[in-house]
Amino acid sequence: MSPQALEAAALALPGATLSVQWGADRVFKVGGRMFAVVSPEGGLSFKATDIAYEALIDSGAARPAPYLARARWVRFDDLTALDADEVTAWLATAHALVAAKLTRAQRRELGL
């Protein structure tokens, strides 16, 4: 998947925003909370469900994301090697997981 396609898919999610942090990392957020990060080197990190986290780590497809592994974030080192449909589904799940933790007022404000 290309970085441009990922950005389009992430920003198509309700209430999603993009900011550049930590130098050049592209951080996708909902309600001010991160749900995915694309590094300048082309790596992708995102929040995963407990089951997906275990499956992706155990299979060797991904590794625990630095600094965020305890929050069940995974990291893929090469975004371009990933299937676009899978990444789009993972982004939607990550977005939903983070959005579910927002307050009712925040979700209402974002139209969620």
Side-chain angles (χ1 to χ4, degrees):
M1 177 174 221
S2 73
Q4 296 81 10
L6 179 131
E7 185 172 317
L11 292 177
L13 297 167
T17 60
L18 170 64
S19 65
V20 178
Q21 293 180 216
W22 310 302
D25 287 343
R26 302 180 70 74
V27 181
F28 298 93
K29 299 180 180 184
V30 60
R33 294 179 175 215
M34 300 187 313
F35 68 90
V37 177
V38 177
S39 69
E41 301 83 32
L44 169 65
S45 300
F46 59 86
K47 180 146 180 72
T49 64
D50 290 345
I51 293 170
Y53 178 86
E54 295 299 328
L56 290 168
I57 301 303
D58 290 348
S59 71
R63 62 184 173 95
Y67 310 107
L68 294 168
R70 67 178 177 81
R72 298 296 194 214
W73 278 62
V74 295
R75 176 168 171 84
F76 292 89
D77 291 324
D78 184 9
L79 171 62
T80 60
L82 300 175
D83 178 71
D85 291 334
E86 277 188 319
V87 172
T88 301
W90 289 329
L91 288 174
T93 300
H95 176 274
L97 289 169
V98 172
K101 298 288 185 177
L102 299 173
T103 66
R104 238 179 279 148
Q106 286 174 308
R107 288 193 306 268
R108 186 173 46 250
E109 184 179 305
L110 294 170
L112 303 173

